[in-house]
mmCIF file of all heavy atoms in Angstrom:
data_model
loop_
_atom_site.group_PDB
_atom_site.id
_atom_site.type_symbol
_atom_site.label_atom_id
_atom_site.label_comp_id
_atom_site.label_asym_id
_atom_site.label_seq_id
_atom_site.Cartn_x
_atom_site.Cartn_y
_atom_site.Cartn_z
ATOM 1 N N ALA A 2 -16.834 -6.460 -0.133
ATOM 2 C CA ALA A 2 -16.150 -6.125 -1.377
ATOM 3 C C ALA A 2 -14.857 -5.391 -1.025
ATOM 4 O O ALA A 2 -14.884 -4.326 -0.412
ATOM 5 C CB ALA A 2 -17.038 -5.254 -2.257
ATOM 6 N N GLY A 5 -8.068 -3.754 -3.642
ATOM 7 C CA GLY A 5 -6.633 -3.732 -3.376
ATOM 8 C C GLY A 5 -6.054 -2.452 -3.942
ATOM 9 O O GLY A 5 -6.384 -2.056 -5.062
ATOM 10 N N ILE A 8 0.114 1.330 -3.358
ATOM 11 C CA ILE A 8 0.533 2.719 -3.184
ATOM 12 C C ILE A 8 1.878 2.866 -3.896
ATOM 13 O O ILE A 8 2.876 2.280 -3.473
ATOM 14 C CB ILE A 8 0.643 3.086 -1.686
ATOM 15 C CG1 ILE A 8 -0.650 2.733 -0.941
ATOM 16 C CG2 ILE A 8 1.020 4.554 -1.517
ATOM 17 C CD1 ILE A 8 -1.900 3.429 -1.430
ATOM 18 N N LYS A 20 11.793 2.126 -7.962
ATOM 19 C CA LYS A 20 11.652 0.841 -7.279
ATOM 20 C C LYS A 20 10.684 -0.094 -8.001
ATOM 21 O O LYS A 20 10.867 -1.304 -7.973
ATOM 22 C CB LYS A 20 11.117 1.046 -5.861
ATOM 23 C CG LYS A 20 12.128 1.451 -4.865
ATOM 24 C CD LYS A 20 11.534 1.307 -3.474
ATOM 25 C CE LYS A 20 11.317 2.652 -2.854
ATOM 26 N NZ LYS A 20 10.878 2.552 -1.456
ATOM 27 N N ALA A 23 12.478 -2.373 -10.238
ATOM 28 C CA ALA A 23 13.498 -3.274 -9.692
ATOM 29 C C ALA A 23 13.024 -4.709 -9.891
ATOM 30 O O ALA A 23 11.834 -5.006 -9.784
ATOM 31 C CB ALA A 23 13.724 -2.975 -8.218
ATOM 32 N N ILE A 25 13.182 -8.877 -9.112
ATOM 33 C CA ILE A 25 13.502 -10.005 -8.248
ATOM 34 C C ILE A 25 13.132 -11.249 -9.041
ATOM 35 O O ILE A 25 11.981 -11.394 -9.470
ATOM 36 C CB ILE A 25 12.723 -9.944 -6.917
ATOM 37 C CG1 ILE A 25 13.099 -8.680 -6.146
ATOM 38 C CG2 ILE A 25 12.984 -11.196 -6.095
ATOM 39 C CD1 ILE A 25 12.264 -8.425 -4.910
ATOM 40 N N ASP A 26 14.107 -12.106 -9.276
ATOM 41 C CA ASP A 26 13.904 -13.302 -10.106
ATOM 42 C C ASP A 26 13.325 -12.947 -11.471
ATOM 43 O O ASP A 26 12.459 -13.651 -11.998
ATOM 44 C CB ASP A 26 13.006 -14.314 -9.386
ATOM 45 C CG ASP A 26 13.645 -14.894 -8.144
ATOM 46 O OD1 ASP A 26 14.895 -14.990 -8.095
ATOM 47 O OD2 ASP A 26 12.902 -15.263 -7.218
ATOM 48 N N THR A 29 9.402 -7.619 -12.069
ATOM 49 C CA THR A 29 9.453 -6.323 -11.396
ATOM 50 C C THR A 29 8.795 -6.413 -10.022
ATOM 51 O O THR A 29 7.890 -7.220 -9.796
ATOM 52 C CB THR A 29 8.746 -5.214 -12.197
ATOM 53 O OG1 THR A 29 7.348 -5.486 -12.253
ATOM 54 C CG2 THR A 29 9.348 -5.057 -13.583
ATOM 55 N N VAL A 46 -6.292 -1.237 -7.801
ATOM 56 C CA VAL A 46 -5.917 0.039 -8.409
ATOM 57 C C VAL A 46 -4.464 0.332 -8.041
ATOM 58 O O VAL A 46 -3.966 -0.121 -7.006
ATOM 59 C CB VAL A 46 -6.815 1.212 -7.947
ATOM 60 C CG1 VAL A 46 -8.237 1.044 -8.462
ATOM 61 C CG2 VAL A 46 -6.794 1.382 -6.442
ATOM 62 N N CYS A 48 -2.119 3.468 -7.219
ATOM 63 C CA CYS A 48 -2.274 4.856 -6.794
ATOM 64 C C CYS A 48 -0.982 5.649 -6.991
ATOM 65 O O CYS A 48 0.097 5.200 -6.612
ATOM 66 C CB CYS A 48 -2.655 4.911 -5.319
ATOM 67 S SG CYS A 48 -4.114 3.945 -4.915
ATOM 68 N N TRP A 52 0.057 3.168 -15.146
ATOM 69 C CA TRP A 52 0.548 1.884 -15.626
ATOM 70 C C TRP A 52 -0.435 1.402 -16.677
ATOM 71 O O TRP A 52 -1.632 1.329 -16.417
ATOM 72 C CB TRP A 52 0.627 0.904 -14.452
ATOM 73 C CG TRP A 52 1.572 -0.218 -14.660
ATOM 74 C CD1 TRP A 52 1.256 -1.516 -14.955
ATOM 75 C CD2 TRP A 52 2.988 -0.161 -14.590
ATOM 76 N NE1 TRP A 52 2.391 -2.259 -15.060
ATOM 77 C CE2 TRP A 52 3.466 -1.451 -14.842
ATOM 78 C CE3 TRP A 52 3.898 0.854 -14.353
ATOM 79 C CZ2 TRP A 52 4.818 -1.749 -14.859
ATOM 80 C CZ3 TRP A 52 5.238 0.556 -14.362
ATOM 81 C CH2 TRP A 52 5.689 -0.724 -14.615
ATOM 82 N N PRO A 62 -5.842 14.724 -2.244
ATOM 83 C CA PRO A 62 -6.459 15.678 -3.159
ATOM 84 C C PRO A 62 -5.528 16.202 -4.246
ATOM 85 O O PRO A 62 -5.956 16.946 -5.108
ATOM 86 C CB PRO A 62 -6.918 16.810 -2.242
ATOM 87 C CG PRO A 62 -6.039 16.758 -1.052
ATOM 88 C CD PRO A 62 -5.619 15.324 -0.908
ATOM 89 N N LEU A 69 -0.296 9.112 2.172
ATOM 90 C CA LEU A 69 -1.694 9.435 2.487
ATOM 91 C C LEU A 69 -2.467 9.872 1.251
ATOM 92 O O LEU A 69 -3.669 9.623 1.152
ATOM 93 C CB LEU A 69 -1.785 10.514 3.569
ATOM 94 C CG LEU A 69 -1.466 10.084 4.995
ATOM 95 C CD1 LEU A 69 -1.697 11.244 5.957
ATOM 96 C CD2 LEU A 69 -2.278 8.871 5.417
ATOM 97 N N GLY A 71 -2.081 8.648 -1.738
ATOM 98 C CA GLY A 71 -2.457 7.400 -2.405
ATOM 99 C C GLY A 71 -3.588 6.693 -1.685
ATOM 100 O O GLY A 71 -4.522 6.176 -2.304
ATOM 101 N N MET A 72 -3.508 6.679 -0.360
ATOM 102 C CA MET A 72 -4.567 6.047 0.421
ATOM 103 C C MET A 72 -5.891 6.792 0.235
ATOM 104 O O MET A 72 -6.949 6.167 0.067
ATOM 105 C CB MET A 72 -4.203 6.007 1.897
ATOM 106 C CG MET A 72 -5.228 5.259 2.737
ATOM 107 S SD MET A 72 -4.944 5.371 4.518
ATOM 108 C CE MET A 72 -3.417 4.460 4.683
ATOM 109 N N ALA A 74 -6.821 8.504 -2.349
ATOM 110 C CA ALA A 74 -7.302 8.191 -3.700
ATOM 111 C C ALA A 74 -7.997 6.834 -3.717
ATOM 112 O O ALA A 74 -9.068 6.669 -4.306
ATOM 113 C CB ALA A 74 -6.148 8.214 -4.688
ATOM 114 N N ASN A 82 -17.081 3.294 -6.073
ATOM 115 C CA ASN A 82 -17.282 2.100 -6.885
ATOM 116 C C ASN A 82 -17.823 0.906 -6.099
ATOM 117 O O ASN A 82 -17.739 -0.232 -6.557
ATOM 118 C CB ASN A 82 -15.975 1.730 -7.596
ATOM 119 C CG ASN A 82 -15.649 2.741 -8.673
ATOM 120 O OD1 ASN A 82 -16.224 2.714 -9.748
ATOM 121 N ND2 ASN A 82 -14.739 3.665 -8.374
ATOM 122 N N PRO A 91 2.151 -0.880 -0.050
ATOM 123 C CA PRO A 91 3.129 -0.138 -0.837
ATOM 124 C C PRO A 91 3.730 -1.035 -1.920
ATOM 125 O O PRO A 91 3.854 -2.243 -1.735
ATOM 126 C CB PRO A 91 4.208 0.249 0.173
ATOM 127 C CG PRO A 91 3.622 0.008 1.514
ATOM 128 C CD PRO A 91 2.567 -1.034 1.344
ATOM 129 N N LEU A 97 4.857 -10.350 -0.487
ATOM 130 C CA LEU A 97 3.544 -10.104 0.093
ATOM 131 C C LEU A 97 2.878 -11.440 0.439
ATOM 132 O O LEU A 97 2.791 -12.323 -0.407
ATOM 133 C CB LEU A 97 2.686 -9.332 -0.913
ATOM 134 C CG LEU A 97 1.411 -8.736 -0.409
ATOM 135 C CD1 LEU A 97 1.699 -7.659 0.629
ATOM 136 C CD2 LEU A 97 0.626 -8.139 -1.558
ATOM 137 N N SER A 104 -5.712 -12.292 7.246
ATOM 138 C CA SER A 104 -5.067 -12.099 8.550
ATOM 139 C C SER A 104 -5.396 -10.735 9.168
ATOM 140 O O SER A 104 -5.363 -10.590 10.387
ATOM 141 C CB SER A 104 -3.550 -12.269 8.439
ATOM 142 O OG SER A 104 -2.971 -11.231 7.691
ATOM 143 N N THR A 107 -11.215 -6.983 9.392
ATOM 144 C CA THR A 107 -11.867 -5.731 8.985
ATOM 145 C C THR A 107 -11.129 -4.562 9.615
ATOM 146 O O THR A 107 -10.440 -4.710 10.609
ATOM 147 C CB THR A 107 -13.344 -5.715 9.406
ATOM 148 O OG1 THR A 107 -13.424 -5.854 10.819
ATOM 149 C CG2 THR A 107 -14.111 -6.842 8.735
ATOM 150 N N PRO A 109 -10.667 -0.148 10.603
ATOM 151 C CA PRO A 109 -9.299 0.125 10.203
ATOM 152 C C PRO A 109 -8.288 -0.660 11.042
ATOM 153 O O PRO A 109 -8.386 -0.712 12.262
ATOM 154 C CB PRO A 109 -9.132 1.623 10.429
ATOM 155 C CG PRO A 109 -10.140 1.974 11.476
ATOM 156 C CD PRO A 109 -11.274 0.990 11.294
ATOM 157 N N MET A 117 1.524 1.204 6.217
ATOM 158 C CA MET A 117 0.763 1.297 4.970
ATOM 159 C C MET A 117 0.174 -0.034 4.531
ATOM 160 O O MET A 117 -0.557 -0.099 3.555
ATOM 161 C CB MET A 117 1.629 1.881 3.852
ATOM 162 C CG MET A 117 1.842 3.377 3.988
ATOM 163 S SD MET A 117 0.304 4.327 4.130
ATOM 164 C CE MET A 117 -0.443 4.016 2.547
ATOM 165 N N CYS A 126 -13.292 7.769 3.777
ATOM 166 C CA CYS A 126 -12.811 8.639 2.699
ATOM 167 C C CYS A 126 -12.867 10.122 3.068
ATOM 168 O O CYS A 126 -11.851 10.828 3.002
ATOM 169 C CB CYS A 126 -13.616 8.355 1.437
ATOM 170 S SG CYS A 126 -13.279 9.464 0.076
ATOM 171 N N ALA A 131 -10.325 15.274 4.887
ATOM 172 C CA ALA A 131 -10.314 16.402 5.828
ATOM 173 C C ALA A 131 -9.014 16.424 6.636
ATOM 174 O O ALA A 131 -8.454 17.497 6.897
ATOM 175 C CB ALA A 131 -11.522 16.318 6.761
ATOM 176 N N ILE A 133 -6.076 15.354 5.646
ATOM 177 C CA ILE A 133 -5.005 15.835 4.762
ATOM 178 C C ILE A 133 -5.132 17.338 4.532
ATOM 179 O O ILE A 133 -4.155 18.075 4.632
ATOM 180 C CB ILE A 133 -5.023 15.067 3.426
ATOM 181 C CG1 ILE A 133 -4.622 13.604 3.646
ATOM 182 C CG2 ILE A 133 -4.088 15.730 2.406
ATOM 183 C CD1 ILE A 133 -4.837 12.705 2.439
ATOM 184 N N TRP A 159 7.676 -10.295 5.454
ATOM 185 C CA TRP A 159 8.037 -9.458 4.321
ATOM 186 C C TRP A 159 8.830 -8.266 4.799
ATOM 187 O O TRP A 159 8.988 -8.019 5.974
ATOM 188 C CB TRP A 159 6.801 -9.013 3.547
ATOM 189 C CG TRP A 159 5.966 -8.034 4.308
ATOM 190 C CD1 TRP A 159 6.111 -6.687 4.316
ATOM 191 C CD2 TRP A 159 4.868 -8.313 5.180
ATOM 192 N NE1 TRP A 159 5.176 -6.109 5.139
ATOM 193 C CE2 TRP A 159 4.395 -7.091 5.685
ATOM 194 C CE3 TRP A 159 4.237 -9.478 5.579
ATOM 195 C CZ2 TRP A 159 3.324 -7.007 6.553
ATOM 196 C CZ3 TRP A 159 3.176 -9.388 6.454
ATOM 197 C CH2 TRP A 159 2.733 -8.161 6.923
ATOM 198 N N ILE A 162 11.364 -2.629 0.616
ATOM 199 C CA ILE A 162 12.591 -2.450 -0.162
ATOM 200 C C ILE A 162 12.813 -0.941 -0.248
ATOM 201 O O ILE A 162 12.177 -0.256 -1.040
ATOM 202 C CB ILE A 162 12.463 -3.061 -1.580
ATOM 203 C CG1 ILE A 162 11.973 -4.503 -1.519
ATOM 204 C CG2 ILE A 162 13.762 -2.918 -2.334
ATOM 205 C CD1 ILE A 162 12.883 -5.467 -0.811
ATOM 206 N N ASN A 163 13.686 -0.421 0.600
ATOM 207 C CA ASN A 163 13.904 1.025 0.652
ATOM 208 C C ASN A 163 15.138 1.487 -0.102
ATOM 209 O O ASN A 163 15.155 2.574 -0.661
ATOM 210 C CB ASN A 163 13.994 1.494 2.108
ATOM 211 C CG ASN A 163 12.662 1.393 2.803
ATOM 212 O OD1 ASN A 163 11.642 1.802 2.259
ATOM 213 N ND2 ASN A 163 12.651 0.835 3.987
#
Side-chain angles (χ1 to χ4, degrees):
I8 308 300
K20 279 193 249 186
I25 298 172
D26 294 331
T29 66
V46 293
C48 305
W52 203 255
L69 286 184
M72 185 187 293
N82 290 282
L97 192 65
S104 68
T107 59
M117 285 306 296
C126 173
I133 292 170
W159 70 88
I162 309 297
N163 291 314

